[in-house]
Amino acid sequence: GAGVSQTPSNKVTEKGKYVELRCDPISGHTALYWYRQSLGQGPEFLIYFQGTGAADDSGLPNDRFFAVRPEGSVSTLKIQRTERGDSAVYLCASSLNPSGGRGDTQYFGPGTRLTVL
Amino acid sequence: AQSVTQLGSHVSVSEGALVLLRCNYSSSVPPYLFWYVQYPNQGLQLLLKYTSAATLVKGINGFEAEFKKSETSFHLTKPSAHMSDAAEYFCAVTTHTGGFKTIFGAGTRLFVKA
């Protein structure tokens, strides 16, 4: 079946602009995660959704970052007033376990490479 | 708070040689531990995970890892490297409590020489 998809695959924007990054999880997966991966580093947790609600948003770096998942499926990560330091690959993952079990396997999308000029 | 340290940002082995990628974790509560692999231009893929059952965990592609609580380690091994194993490998930890964060190490890039 289809895996996790992310669009766009690449996004180039100018400093100060607003961007939206989209994630389509595996059908039936209730848990969804966003991560940010900078060059030479491992993924950094941003936010976790269980269904429509953000169960843990402790990784969002500041109030310029916001994510939604209004129908419990597709999620959008929104970044306002982008800064050059926001340049990274943004990864989305989904998992099946309805209880959001912490040992649950996460399935990752290919990522969106964001470049802020 | 939990953390993960991967020793060696780059590891190079010859084809057919033992692969050993090191991971040490820090956690004040029992951990869940994972190894993920990232091939060029592809998403992360789970190799194996430890979830408090058997301490020796077998994964895909011939990889295995052993959870050693006394050493706070979860090293990844494979007896015989293949050229196709060349990739970036990430160790990660979550815990039974304290939110849903998964903490990843910085990664180890594995090179396999013919």
Side-chain angles (χ1 to χ4, degrees):
Chain A
V4 177
S5 63
Q6 294 186 244
T7 54
S9 56
N10 282 284
K11 176 70 177 178
V12 180
T13 191
E14 294 179 342
K15 181 175 178 294
K17 299 290 188 181
Y18 167 83
V19 297
E20 291 189 351
L21 312 179
R22 176 187 168 108
C23 173
D24 280 89
I26 294 172
S27 178
H29 281 196
T30 60
L32 186 145
Y33 310 76
W34 282 99
Y35 296 87
R36 177 170 67 177
Q37 186 175 18
S38 300
L39 193 63
Q41 298 183 23
E44 173 193 9
F45 171 85
L46 296 177
I47 188 170
Y48 160 79
F49 286 91
Q50 180 58 41
T52 60
D56 187 344
D57 65 356
S58 61
L60 294 177
N62 53 59
D63 61 6
R64 295 187 297 106
F65 289 74
F66 189 71
V68 296
R69 196 186 184 199
E71 298 179 356
S73 178
V74 171
S75 176
T76 304
L77 178 66
K78 307 181 180 191
I79 310 174
Q80 298 177 321
R81 304 183 304 280
T82 52
E83 300 177 356
R84 292 192 180 89
D86 299 334
S87 296
V89 176
Y90 289 81
L91 300 172
C92 176
S94 69
S95 69
L96 178 63
N97 191 325
S99 68
R102 294 166 181 86
D104 200 26
T105 297
Q106 295 178 38
Y107 297 85
F108 283 80
T112 294
R113 182 176 298 279
L114 176 66
T115 302
V116 182
L117 301 177
Chain B
Q2 59 267 37
S3 66
V4 173
T5 301
Q6 291 185 240
L7 300 176
S9 58
H10 297 83
V11 170
S12 182
V13 300
S14 298
E15 193 173 21
L18 171 72
V19 176
L20 171 61
L21 305 183
R22 299 179 186 273
C23 173
N24 287 88
Y25 70 92
S26 173
S27 177
S28 58
V29 296
Y32 291 122
L33 294 159
F34 306 80
W35 277 100
Y36 285 87
V37 61
Q38 188 173 32
Y39 298 104
N41 300 316
Q42 294 187 29
L44 278 81
Q45 178 184 5
L46 181 71
L47 274 179
L48 49 81
K49 64 180 178 181
Y50 166 76
T51 57
S52 73
T55 57
L56 181 62
V57 181
K58 294 187 183 298
I60 62 172
N61 301 338
F63 284 94
E64 64 181 36
E66 186 172 8
F67 171 66
K68 292 187 177 181
K69 183 178 179 181
S70 62
E71 299 177 8
T72 62
S73 69
F74 190 57
H75 301 330
L76 181 70
T77 60
K78 181 175 180 177
S80 177
H82 294 169
M83 296 296 290
S84 60
D85 294 327
E88 185 100 26
Y89 292 80
F90 294 95
C91 182
V93 63
T94 63
T95 59
H96 293 231
T97 60
F100 293 87
K101 278 187 176 182
T102 300
I103 305 300
F104 283 81
T108 297
R109 182 164 295 278
L110 177 66
F111 296 91
V112 182
K113 300 174 291 186

PDB file of all heavy atoms in Angstrom, chain B residues 7-12 107-111:
ATOM      1  N   LEU B   7      28.478   6.852  18.833  1.00  0.00           N
ATOM      2  CA  LEU B   7      29.918   7.018  18.782  1.00  0.00           C
ATOM      3  C   LEU B   7      30.413   6.786  17.367  1.00  0.00           C
ATOM      4  O   LEU B   7      30.275   5.692  16.829  1.00  0.00           O
ATOM      5  CB  LEU B   7      30.588   6.055  19.754  1.00  0.00           C
ATOM      6  CG  LEU B   7      30.179   6.238  21.212  1.00  0.00           C
ATOM      7  CD1 LEU B   7      30.820   5.182  22.094  1.00  0.00           C
ATOM      8  CD2 LEU B   7      30.561   7.638  21.687  1.00  0.00           C
ATOM      9  N   GLY B   8      30.992   7.820  16.794  1.00  0.00           N
ATOM     10  CA  GLY B   8      31.492   7.705  15.427  1.00  0.00           C
ATOM     11  C   GLY B   8      30.485   8.224  14.429  1.00  0.00           C
ATOM     12  O   GLY B   8      29.457   7.596  14.207  1.00  0.00           O
ATOM     13  N   SER B   9      30.775   9.350  13.815  1.00  0.00           N
ATOM     14  CA  SER B   9      29.864   9.875  12.798  1.00  0.00           C
ATOM     15  C   SER B   9      30.032   9.123  11.477  1.00  0.00           C
ATOM     16  O   SER B   9      29.125   9.124  10.643  1.00  0.00           O
ATOM     17  CB  SER B   9      30.102  11.368  12.584  1.00  0.00           C
ATOM     18  OG  SER B   9      31.441  11.602  12.194  1.00  0.00           O
ATOM     19  N   HIS B  10      31.218   8.508  11.300  1.00  0.00           N
ATOM     20  CA  HIS B  10      31.494   7.727  10.098  1.00  0.00           C
ATOM     21  C   HIS B  10      32.172   6.419  10.501  1.00  0.00           C
ATOM     22  O   HIS B  10      33.080   6.416  11.343  1.00  0.00           O
ATOM     23  CB  HIS B  10      32.421   8.481   9.142  1.00  0.00           C
ATOM     24  CG  HIS B  10      31.839   9.742   8.617  1.00  0.00           C
ATOM     25  ND1 HIS B  10      31.876  10.932   9.311  1.00  0.00           N
ATOM     26  CD2 HIS B  10      31.176  10.007   7.452  1.00  0.00           C
ATOM     27  CE1 HIS B  10      31.285  11.874   8.599  1.00  0.00           C
ATOM     28  NE2 HIS B  10      30.849  11.346   7.475  1.00  0.00           N
ATOM     29  N   VAL B  11      31.717   5.325   9.895  1.00  0.00           N
ATOM     30  CA  VAL B  11      32.344   4.019  10.090  1.00  0.00           C
ATOM     31  C   VAL B  11      32.556   3.409   8.716  1.00  0.00           C
ATOM     32  O   VAL B  11      31.649   3.421   7.882  1.00  0.00           O
ATOM     33  CB  VAL B  11      31.452   3.100  10.955  1.00  0.00           C
ATOM     34  CG1 VAL B  11      31.979   1.668  10.950  1.00  0.00           C
ATOM     35  CG2 VAL B  11      31.368   3.626  12.388  1.00  0.00           C
ATOM     36  N   SER B  12      33.752   2.885   8.500  1.00  0.00           N
ATOM     37  CA  SER B  12      34.081   2.259   7.229  1.00  0.00           C
ATOM     38  C   SER B  12      34.491   0.812   7.459  1.00  0.00           C
ATOM     39  O   SER B  12      35.328   0.541   8.333  1.00  0.00           O
ATOM     40  CB  SER B  12      35.210   3.025   6.537  1.00  0.00           C
ATOM     41  OG  SER B  12      35.508   2.444   5.279  1.00  0.00           O
ATOM     42  N   GLY B 107      23.465  10.216  14.229  1.00  0.00           N
ATOM     43  CA  GLY B 107      23.623   9.349  13.071  1.00  0.00           C
ATOM     44  C   GLY B 107      25.049   8.891  12.855  1.00  0.00           C
ATOM     45  O   GLY B 107      26.014   9.573  13.245  1.00  0.00           O
ATOM     46  N   THR B 108      25.186   7.725  12.254  1.00  0.00           N
ATOM     47  CA  THR B 108      26.480   7.185  11.839  1.00  0.00           C
ATOM     48  C   THR B 108      26.376   6.783  10.378  1.00  0.00           C
ATOM     49  O   THR B 108      25.490   5.992  10.013  1.00  0.00           O
ATOM     50  CB  THR B 108      26.871   5.951  12.671  1.00  0.00           C
ATOM     51  OG1 THR B 108      27.014   6.323  14.040  1.00  0.00           O
ATOM     52  CG2 THR B 108      28.184   5.367  12.162  1.00  0.00           C
ATOM     53  N   ARG B 109      27.261   7.337   9.579  1.00  0.00           N
ATOM     54  CA  ARG B 109      27.262   6.964   8.164  1.00  0.00           C
ATOM     55  C   ARG B 109      28.175   5.758   7.977  1.00  0.00           C
ATOM     56  O   ARG B 109      29.341   5.797   8.361  1.00  0.00           O
ATOM     57  CB  ARG B 109      27.719   8.118   7.287  1.00  0.00           C
ATOM     58  CG  ARG B 109      27.691   7.769   5.790  1.00  0.00           C
ATOM     59  CD  ARG B 109      27.758   8.983   4.913  1.00  0.00           C
ATOM     60  NE  ARG B 109      26.592   9.851   5.032  1.00  0.00           N
ATOM     61  CZ  ARG B 109      25.431   9.656   4.409  1.00  0.00           C
ATOM     62  NH1 ARG B 109      25.259   8.591   3.638  1.00  0.00           N
ATOM     63  NH2 ARG B 109      24.438  10.506   4.570  1.00  0.00           N
ATOM     64  N   LEU B 110      27.624   4.709   7.412  1.00  0.00           N
ATOM     65  CA  LEU B 110      28.383   3.477   7.171  1.00  0.00           C
ATOM     66  C   LEU B 110      28.845   3.437   5.726  1.00  0.00           C
ATOM     67  O   LEU B 110      28.031   3.564   4.797  1.00  0.00           O
ATOM     68  CB  LEU B 110      27.510   2.256   7.480  1.00  0.00           C
ATOM     69  CG  LEU B 110      28.151   0.895   7.193  1.00  0.00           C
ATOM     70  CD1 LEU B 110      29.343   0.653   8.120  1.00  0.00           C
ATOM     71  CD2 LEU B 110      27.130  -0.237   7.330  1.00  0.00           C
ATOM     72  N   PHE B 111      30.143   3.264   5.550  1.00  0.00           N
ATOM     73  CA  PHE B 111      30.736   3.073   4.224  1.00  0.00           C
ATOM     74  C   PHE B 111      31.182   1.614   4.127  1.00  0.00           C
ATOM     75  O   PHE B 111      31.779   1.082   5.063  1.00  0.00           O
ATOM     76  CB  PHE B 111      31.940   3.994   4.036  1.00  0.00           C
ATOM     77  CG  PHE B 111      31.598   5.456   4.063  1.00  0.00           C
ATOM     78  CD1 PHE B 111      31.639   6.160   5.256  1.00  0.00           C
ATOM     79  CD2 PHE B 111      31.232   6.124   2.902  1.00  0.00           C
ATOM     80  CE1 PHE B 111      31.328   7.512   5.299  1.00  0.00           C
ATOM     81  CE2 PHE B 111      30.917   7.473   2.935  1.00  0.00           C
ATOM     82  CZ  PHE B 111      30.964   8.168   4.126  1.00  0.00           C
TER      83      PHE B 111
END
